[in-house]
Amino acid sequence: MKKQNIILSLIALVFSLPAFAQPTAVITDPQKNYKEAKELFIKKEYALAYPLLKEVKQAYPENQASNNRYIYEDINYYYIVCELKLRLPIATEDAKKYIDAVENDPRIELISYHLGKYYFIQGLYSDAIQYYEAAGFNNLSEEEVSDEKFEMAYSYFNIKKFAKAKPLFAEIQREHDSKYYIQANYYYGFICFYDKEYSEALASFAVIENLEQYKSVVPYYVAEILYFQGKKDEAQHYTETALNRGGLYYEKEMKQLLGQIYFEQMDFKKALPLLEYYVGNTKKITKETQYELSYCYYKLKQTDKAIEGFKQLSNEKDSLGQNSMYLLADCYLRTNQKENARNAFQYCANNNSNKGQQEVSAFNYAKLSYELNYQDIALSGIKSFLTKYPNSQYAPEAKEILIGLLANTNNFTDALALYQSFAQPTASMQKIYPRILYGKSVEYINDQQIAQADELLTKILDLPASSVTPYANFWKGEIAYRLFNYDEAIRHLTAYLDSRAPAQGEANLTTVKYNIGYSWLKKENYRQALPYFEQIGKSSSSAPTLEQDAYVRCADCYYMNKDYAKANSMYENVLTNALPESDYALFQKAMIVGIKNSNERIKTFSSLIHQYPKSNLVPDANMGIADVYMANEKFDDALPYLNAILTMKDAGDLQPKAYLKLGLIYYNTNNNKEALNEYTQLIQNYPQSAEADEALENVKNIYIQQGKPNDYITLMNKIGKNISDTQADSLTYNAAQLQYINNDCSAAIEGFTNYLSKYPKGYFVLETNYYASECYSKNKDWTNALKGYDYVSSLGSNKYYERATLAASRINYFELKDYAAARKNFESLRSNAVNQDNKLEALRGLVRSYYQLKDYVSADTAAKELLMKKSISTDDRSIADLVLGKSQEVNNDSTNAITAFKSCAAINRSAWGAEARYEIANCEFSLKNYAAAQKAAMAVIKETNSYDYWVTSSYILLGDIFEQKKDYFNAKATYQSVVDNSTIDELKNEAQQKLNKALDDEAENSKIIN
């Protein structure tokens, strides 16, 4: 192994000046002073000469220089040299002026020599070289030539211009009587050592090896040379002898050399203490030294120390780095640290220096990922391994792991993509396929992506029966029920019942019987519905909400079957036990009692209004009272109840009915003015409602009676009603509708588009927009679907309003991710829907939209309202808990936020649950509970790994935890895994930035020379 050369720190040269005293006598004769100063100068007594020269210089001013040119130049020369010798601050400036002004070449060269020496003494070697080179040797004394050669060589040496220093030192070291002979041999030997001219270097070092001032330094170079010449036994003996003798300046370096020799001899026991000494006493070391020390630990089974050493080599991209990571992985496996071994194999697999080690490491990285339940990494790792090494000896085991992954994974997204990537899946894979489809379909259901879930469930039912077939039937039935396809719901839910499969979450007998009962109820087949509700219905106040609701539905079935006594008795039980639907039970009792006594109906409805003022049945009760009065022709008594409905925000479609009935009362009492007022408000506020169409005939009659047919025509045009419905209009619409009924959406869209272009204000514009959007939606053309739905929704209350608004909400939320638009749709639906299921759906959507828009205050308010609703789902509770936790986290209440997030995570396996699990880890991290944060982040990765964003965020958080602990090895590996595997640019860039920081932080704290 090549050893790095170490440049010897240079021996400082010391130049001393004689002490001097100020003369006491005053010299007045300039010639005498000049002669005396010159004698002192020649004697090198510069401190004494200088003041005399200063006086003489004043006696021969520059303006009289022409009269005494010779003396003047001499005085100037001696004066400046004295300045240089005495190191006066003005000396360099005067010397340079002299050189520029004087035309005497010999004197210029001499001044250059003295200026060079001045700079040399000051340690300004580049400046010294400049003036030494200008001085040359011709006008210098023999001693000055000797000084200049050595000092110029030494200056070149110091600025590392060895090529220029070398010939000068070579000249000197050949002159045995030179005062610089010994020093020149040292420096010449060193440069030869540097130039790998080892024989020349040895010859020079032999001259000085035993001299006192060099015997502590030279042995190191001699030992190094012997080693580099391949004379390792001789190098070993020489080094051992020198170390035993002691007094070495480079003791630690010689111990390192001897340790390296023992290392190469595989005598790790002898090598270890020497290498330990060197590393322990050196601030920065080479990667080779770190490797040798770590390898000694490894071979001598000092595993913990080997681990700490090898870890520091994780940045190296060469074969040394790869082998270090391979051995580190082995150390971790020996100590059962599989998590760390996995990361070590990752480093090794990313290094292609040794193809064999790279292959083994890639397999072991994927295998350990599988064993440690990093399913996302294991899936991609195994697939990549089989693609890159199809004929590897590890391929059979990799395929077995792949089958195990597909069988047990929670990452159904990647598992499904992986399965579909195989042209011919094995029989074992095919056996696992239904479970993958089922797992992914449940994720879609949890994320409210019903259409995608239904598609996968259909695939399961098309396959041979498996363990998941009953549950596929359950969810097919559940989806059909949500989509109002009650026949399909009954069929699939009954198939689940017939399978007698064990309960699995929501797929249980109680839920299934409830949903079948409700499906028959929606089909108005109350005799078929009744037995399902009776099997599960309970009137106890402690019974689950669903069972209480089933009891009320039993009463409804008896009511619709005209068994009023039984129904009344059951409604009374609801009231007695104060069940959640007591307001509804009281409403139904009013309907029953009103069959025989209309006054009792009014009385019971009035009780409902006063006992349950916040009930959503209050508008219906008001309408019920008004209907009784109208039936008894007590029109004036009905008016206040109808007007009350118009002021109620939650009255929904009862408001157009109230307008219609108010108009009818006034019309029947011949108050045409008020009747027309009510009808006009109805038509203007609810132009597309059935009530508006019904009112038009009376409006027409009133205008005709008043003799104002033109006003009638004006009103019709204003509200977009064509009073002369043409045959062409109807034919064009009916042709398009027929294609829709035949499920030919392409032809239907063409027909509807044609209709709208011909009749933009046609009679069937509402229907055309709605059905066209339904077709676009089936084709997943979300942009065009949204246009029609938005148009229908913008018209306000009409027969398609709720369905269109809900569809627009879902497209904006799920497909286009336009949460602001979705919020607007959901708010509109919540305010205007009559159907309670749609109102609840709107509130659910609002909670989610507010949350996605980071409007946590509104989200929190909506979530609390959602929790107050009857029969809310587990999913509703989970999002409410998530919102509460996020609100607390934003307000720096991480402790309570963790509690809320845990509540969400406990009941939700969808994206919300994944986010909640991540936020638990994030809150623990903010509280500096790093162990808890690490555990929570691992839970996200291992339990909800279909949700890439939160899994990837958790990997980054793990990296942050390692970074905080200064565990740069694992921090880098974790960030790198995100950089290598993530498909989310935002997180990939974040990981890269953090990886760069970890590298910088490690370099700052590392002993390894960068």
Side-chain angles (χ1 to χ4, degrees), residues 168-271:
L168 293 170
F169 282 132
E171 283 185 45
I172 300 168
Q173 63 99 26
R174 286 195 291 270
E175 298 172 2
H176 293 263
D177 57 346
S178 171
K179 65 179 179 180
Y180 296 111
Y181 173 71
I182 298 299
Q183 291 170 278
N185 269 284
Y186 172 74
Y187 290 116
Y188 181 71
F190 179 87
I191 294 173
C192 289
F193 172 81
Y194 179 84
D195 289 341
K196 297 184 174 62
E197 297 175 358
Y198 297 129
S199 297
E200 282 284 299
L202 278 177
S204 286
F205 286 141
V207 173
I208 59 173
E209 182 179 5
N210 296 315
L211 297 178
E212 187 65 30
Q213 64 268 41
Y214 294 108
K215 69 179 182 181
S216 65
V217 175
V218 169
Y220 169 70
Y221 296 108
V222 173
E224 286 272 279
I225 289 170
L226 292 172
Y227 176 84
F228 290 140
Q229 288 180 329
K231 302 173 182 177
K232 295 185 179 179
D233 290 341
E234 190 176 343
Q236 176 184 339
H237 176 72
Y238 182 90
T239 305
E240 288 172 338
T241 302
L243 285 170
N244 288 334
R245 185 172 66 241
L248 296 173
Y249 180 81
Y250 290 117
E251 180 184 9
K252 66 178 183 180
E253 287 79 10
M254 293 197 71
K255 285 186 175 181
Q256 179 203 20
L257 176 60
L258 185 57
Q260 185 172 324
I261 292 169
Y262 287 141
F263 179 87
E264 292 174 6
Q265 294 172 353
M266 295 187 173
D267 191 343
F268 304 114
K269 191 172 182 180
K270 283 186 177 180

Side-chain angles (χ1 to χ4, degrees), residues 116 323 354 408 423 448 492 506 538 674 684 705 736 883 911:
N323 201 51
N354 183 315
N408 300 297
Q448 305 298 310
H492 286 293
E506 293 179 68
K538 293 179 183 177
E674 286 300 322
Q684 290 178 339
Q705 289 172 17
V883 166

Side-chain angles (χ1 to χ4, degrees), residues 252 276-283 1007:
K252 66 178 183 180
E276 267 186 329
Y277 179 87
Y278 173 75
V279 172
N281 290 277
T282 305
K283 187 176 180 181
K1007 283 179 73 78

Side-chain angles (χ1 to χ4, degrees), residues 340-476:
N340 292 329
R342 171 180 170 272
N343 286 338
F345 280 128
Q346 177 189 347
Y347 282 109
C348 193
N350 288 335
N351 190 323
N352 60 9
S353 300
N354 183 315
K355 300 296 185 182
Q357 281 188 343
Q358 186 178 31
E359 177 186 337
V360 175
S361 298
F363 172 72
N364 282 325
Y365 176 60
K367 180 180 179 181
L368 285 172
S369 295
Y370 168 64
E371 291 177 2
L372 295 169
N373 209 20
Y374 292 95
Q375 295 181 359
D376 55 329
I377 300 295
L379 275 170
S380 61
I382 289 293
K383 183 181 178 183
S384 174
F385 179 81
L386 289 172
T387 301
K388 191 172 182 179
Y389 307 106
N391 300 316
S392 169
Q393 62 176 309
Y394 304 105
E397 188 178 356
K399 290 176 182 176
E400 289 300 314
I401 291 173
L402 182 59
I403 292 170
L405 273 167
L406 294 176
N408 300 297
T409 185
N410 291 321
N411 187 347
F412 300 110
T413 302
D414 288 349
L416 188 57
L418 182 59
Y419 181 90
Q420 292 170 343
S421 70
F422 286 94
Q424 294 182 324
T426 65
S428 298
M429 291 180 183
Q430 291 175 29
K431 189 175 180 181
I432 296 161
Y433 184 46
R435 180 184 175 276
I436 298 171
L437 289 171
Y438 179 72
K440 186 58 191 174
S441 67
V442 171
E443 284 182 356
Y444 277 138
I445 292 167
N446 287 336
D447 291 334
Q448 305 298 310
Q449 299 186 53
I450 304 302
Q452 294 91 327
D454 193 54
E455 184 180 335
L456 296 187
L457 293 168
T458 299
K459 288 184 179 180
I460 295 173
L461 296 180
D462 289 340
L463 296 170
S466 67
S467 60
V468 299
T469 300
Y471 307 106
N473 269 308
F474 168 80
W475 285 112
K476 282 284 288 184

Side-chain angles (χ1 to χ4, degrees), residues 317-336:
K317 305 301 181 186
D318 53 11
S319 59
L320 180 146
Q322 185 178 39
N323 201 51
S324 297
M325 294 303 98
Y326 193 78
L327 295 173
L328 177 60
D330 184 52
C331 289
Y332 279 132
L333 289 176
R334 289 183 186 183
T335 53
N336 200 32

